[in-house]
DNA sequence: ACCCAGGGTCATA
DNA sequence: TATGACCATGGG
C-alpha cells in the first residue's frame, strides 16, 4: 500500500486536496460530486458562491427550484437539491462545525449516515477533508485500481476495504518511526494525499472499459512504473 | 453516437 | 443480501 502511494506521489506530485476555501464548501462539494465529474461540480459551486449560498441557513431558505437551477451543471440536480438540504438541516440542528467537531470520529461518522443522501464515501470525504479525521476514503477508482493490481480481492465491502487501507498504512508508517507511534495529523495528511492520487491516476488511465488488456496496472504499469 | 464521471437510495426477488 | 432502476449534466 505504502509503496504504491510513494510511486503515485513521485509520479503525480502533491494534489492539494480538497479544492475549496472553507470546510462547508468541502462538504457541499462532497455531496455534489456523487457520481459526477468534478469539473461539473465546480460550476455549481461557482453559482452558489455568486449568490452567497455557501451557508447552511441560506441554503435551507432557498426555494427548491432556485437551488436546483444553481445545481443544474452538477447533474442529478433535483436529487442533489434535496440531499443538500437534508445535510444542511442536519448540520444546523447539530450546532454547526464547532459542535460537530467535538464528536469522536466514529460518532460523527454514524451521525453523518443518518442524513439521507450521505453514504459511506461522502461521509468519509467529509470526515477526512472537512474534519481532518484519519479516515481512508474508498471510491470506485480505489476498488478498480487495487483489484487490477491484485492487491485486494473482488467484492470486498466498503468497510473491509477501508479497514484494510487504514490498518495497513498505519502499520507501515508506525514501523518506519523509531518510536513505533504515529501522529494522527500525519496519518490524515497521508490519507488526504493518497486518495487524491488514486483519483488522479484513475482519471488518467484506469477506465472501466475496455478492460485494459494493456492496462498499466495489470502490466505492473510499464508506463507509470507502478508496481505492488 | 457512445462512454464516463471524486454515489446513494429504493423497490423488488 | 443482491441485483436493477433511477437520478442528469457535460466533456472526451
Amino acid at each position: 500500500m505504502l509503496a504504491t502511494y510513494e510511486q503515485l506521489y513521485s509520479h503525480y506530485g502533491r494534489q492539494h486536496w480538497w479544492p475549496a476555501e472553507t470546510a462547508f464548501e468541502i462538504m457541499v462539494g462532497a455531496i455534489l460530486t456523487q457520481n459526477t465529474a468534478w469539473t461539473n461540480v465546480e460550476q455549481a459551486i461557482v453559482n452558489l458562491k455568486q449568490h452567497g449560498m455557501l451557508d447552511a441557513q441560506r441554503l435551507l431558505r432557498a426555494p427548491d427550484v432556485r437551488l436546483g437551477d444553481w445545481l443544474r451543471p452538477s447533474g442529478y440536480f433535483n436529487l442533489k437539491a434535496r440531499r443538500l438540504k437534508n445535510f444542511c438541516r442536519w448540520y444546523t440542528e447539530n450546532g454547526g462545525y464547532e459542535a460537530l467537531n467535538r464528536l469522536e470520529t466514529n460518532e460523527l461518522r454514524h451521525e453523518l449516515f443518518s442524513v439521507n443522501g450521505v453514504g459511506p464515501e461522502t461521509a468519509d470525504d467529509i470526515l477526512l477533508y472537512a474534519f481532518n479525521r484519519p479516515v481512508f476514503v474508498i471510491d470506485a477508482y480505489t476498488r478498480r485500481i487495487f483489484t487490477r493490481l491484485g492487491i485486494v480481492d473482488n467484492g470486498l465491502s466498503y468497510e473491509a476495504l477501508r479497514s484494510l487501507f487504514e490498518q495497513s498504512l498505519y502499520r507501515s508508517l508506525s514501523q518506519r518511526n523509531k518510536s513505533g507511534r504515529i501522529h494522527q495529523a500525519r496519518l490524515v495528511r497521508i490519507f488526504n494525499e493518497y486518495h487524491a492520487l488514486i483519483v488522479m491516476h484513475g482519471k488518467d488511465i484506469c477506465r472501466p472499459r475496455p478492460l485494459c488488456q494493456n492496462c498499466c496496472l495489470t502490466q505492473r504499469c510499464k508506463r507509470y512504473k507502478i508496481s505492488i
Side-chain angles (χ1 to χ4, degrees):
Chain A
M1 301 287 186
L2 193 52
T4 307
Y5 167 76
E6 281 163 348
Q7 288 175 311
L8 286 170
Y9 187 92
S10 61
H11 194 82
Y12 294 105
R14 271 187 66 178
Q15 300 301 305
H16 306 283
W17 271 34
W18 187 288
E21 296 173 358
T22 66
F24 189 72
E25 185 181 339
I26 292 172
M27 306 189 227
V28 171
I31 291 170
L32 295 188
T33 198
Q34 290 172 356
N35 202 38
T36 300
W38 180 253
T39 51
N40 283 8
V41 177
E42 284 181 318
Q43 186 54 49
I45 292 187
V46 166
N47 291 341
L48 291 177
K49 274 188 185 170
Q50 283 181 346
H51 295 267
M53 282 295 144
L54 243 45
D55 176 275
Q57 323 259 7
R58 292 189 189 184
L59 281 172
L60 282 171
R61 300 281 177 203
D64 292 349
V65 181
R66 279 273 289 217
L67 182 52
D69 213 41
W70 296 324
L71 299 185
R72 188 175 295 274
S74 76
Y76 306 135
F77 57 91
N78 287 318
L79 185 63
K80 284 174 179 174
R82 240 183 302 129
R83 290 186 178 176
L84 199 48
K85 284 201 174 185
N86 291 342
F87 176 79
C88 289
R89 199 171 308 117
W90 170 84
Y91 187 73
T92 57
E93 283 176 359
N94 285 281
Y97 189 90
E98 304 258 310
L100 288 165
N101 198 30
R102 283 180 212 119
L103 299 177
E104 295 291 328
T105 297
N106 283 322
E107 228 179 315
L108 183 50
R109 191 165 194 266
H110 187 73
E111 281 298 318
L112 280 162
F113 278 129
S114 73
V115 181
N116 185 297
V118 175
E121 186 182 340
T122 306
D124 290 343
D125 276 336
I126 291 172
L127 287 166
L128 177 60
Y129 292 103
F131 287 94
N132 298 303
R133 306 303 178 93
V135 169
F136 199 91
V137 179
I138 304 296
D139 68 342
Y141 288 131
T142 314
R143 262 176 203 291
R144 192 182 305 154
I145 290 170
F146 286 86
T147 301
R148 288 183 186 176
L149 275 173
I151 296 177
V152 304
D153 300 333
N154 227 333
L156 285 184
S157 70
Y158 183 96
E159 294 304 326
L161 273 177
R162 182 170 73 90
S163 166
L164 187 64
F165 275 85
E166 289 177 3
Q167 303 292 320
S168 169
L169 290 171
Y170 181 85
R171 272 195 283 274
S172 307
L173 289 167
S174 47
Q175 256 181 359
R176 183 173 287 189
N177 258 8
K178 289 283 184 184
S179 62
R181 284 199 84 65
I182 176 100
H183 282 103
Q184 173 169 309
R186 174 152 169 74
L187 216 48
V188 168
R189 276 194 286 278
I190 303 263
F191 290 178
N192 174 322
E193 199 63 41
Y194 203 166
H195 176 62
L197 286 165
I198 286 169
V199 172
M200 183 54 54
H201 182 66
K203 286 199 286 199
D204 188 6
I205 49 175
C206 200
R207 307 270 151 198
R209 293 200 300 264
L211 243 54
C212 281
Q213 292 293 349
N214 224 353
C215 176
C216 55
L217 295 172
T218 55
Q219 300 291 320
R220 295 295 178 263
C221 200
K222 291 174 184 167
R223 193 172 152 202
Y224 289 95
K225 297 183 177 161
I226 292 170
S227 61
I228 300 175

